Amino acid sequence: MSTSENEKRKISKFLSLVLRHQPDTIGIELDDAGWTSIDNLLEAMRHSGRKTSREVLDEIVLTNDKQRFSISDDGSRIRAKQGHSVDVDLGYEPASPPEILLHGTPINAVATIRQEGLKKMKRHHVHLHADSTIAQTVGARRGAPVVLRIRSRDMANEGYLFYVTANEVWLTDHVPPQFIVFPVE
């Protein structure tokens, strides 16, 4: 029996939930770097009524449009690449950002961002992108989107740290408003 694209999307969202935010939902544990055993994950998913196969899991990891997940080199463990609200150390080293990075957000968040800048909220970092299409898509998840331009090189020159993930998401702790170029209203 093949798994539909809609079902794969549901499984991917569920994986994001348990690997980034609530592993205890199905009784799995993440190690300090966010990894968990694939065998344990699949068994816990089965017990929670979300049975899936290793083949479907591998396909989701391989074809996820945002490349959210990693499988260990030995193929025995899985983790989310970023976006955690649980305490994990992903081991990213500081990196030099490009001059400008982008952040997509719903238009109704802009007034608060003008005052407070971009905050990591419940995640470990603020997520930024070099690709405007991705930033636009991210911003559209919760309403009419706006893409903010972040003067990331200027931030780095002021001592702010940036990290980049394997799927090219740029991470930083906070973006003060003075480094954000807001669209003209």
Side-chain angles (χ1 to χ4, degrees):
M1 182 175 122
S2 71
T3 305
S4 72
E5 292 305 311
N6 186 46
E7 185 60 25
K8 287 180 202 170
R9 187 171 52 258
K10 288 179 182 178
I11 294 167
S12 178
K13 287 183 180 224
F14 185 73
L15 289 171
S16 288
L17 174 72
V18 299
L19 295 176
R20 295 163 80 182
H21 308 294
Q22 298 174 10
D24 54 327
T25 298
I26 59 171
I28 62 170
E29 292 185 14
L30 306 179
D31 70 13
D32 291 344
W35 295 103
T36 193
S37 159
I38 290 175
D39 290 342
N40 291 347
L41 172 67
L42 292 173
E43 182 67 14
M45 288 177 71
R46 185 180 68 76
H47 282 297
S48 72
R50 296 185 182 263
K51 183 178 178 182
T52 193
S53 69
R54 173 63 194 252
E55 292 75 24
V56 170
L57 180 73
D58 287 343
E59 184 178 347
I60 288 169
V61 170
L62 182 66
T63 62
N64 181 270
D65 60 341
K66 294 184 180 161
Q67 292 296 293
R68 286 188 168 120
F69 313 107
S70 292
I71 292 180
S72 62
D73 290 340
D74 68 1
S76 69
R77 299 176 301 149
I78 187 170
R79 76 174 181 180
K81 291 181 180 179
Q82 75 270 332
H84 297 79
S85 59
V86 296
D87 191 24
V88 295
D89 178 4
L90 299 174
Y92 293 125
E93 295 293 324
S96 296
E99 184 173 345
I100 298 292
L101 286 168
L102 306 168
H103 181 80
T105 194
I107 197 162
N108 62 358
V110 172
T112 302
I113 294 169
R114 281 185 192 280
Q115 296 296 312
E116 302 175 6
L118 292 169
K119 296 174 161 183
K120 57 188 172 181
M121 307 304 278
K122 294 180 182 177
R123 293 184 174 188
H124 286 219
H125 296 97
V126 174
H127 293 200
L128 306 171
H129 305 276
D131 183 307
S132 61
T133 302
I134 294 171
Q136 183 81 16
T137 301
V138 169
R141 285 190 283 189
R142 292 184 181 89
V146 63
V147 175
L148 305 175
R149 293 171 42 91
I150 310 304
R151 295 184 8 251
S152 47
R153 175 101 25 90
D154 290 345
M155 282 181 64
N157 290 341
E158 293 288 326
Y160 290 87
L161 294 178
F162 288 83
Y163 309 90
V164 63
T165 68
N167 57 334
E168 299 181 19
V169 176
W170 286 85
L171 308 172
T172 193
D173 286 332
H174 177 245
V175 179
Q178 67 266 29
F179 294 105
I180 303 171
V181 179
F182 292 92
V184 178
E185 293 180 4

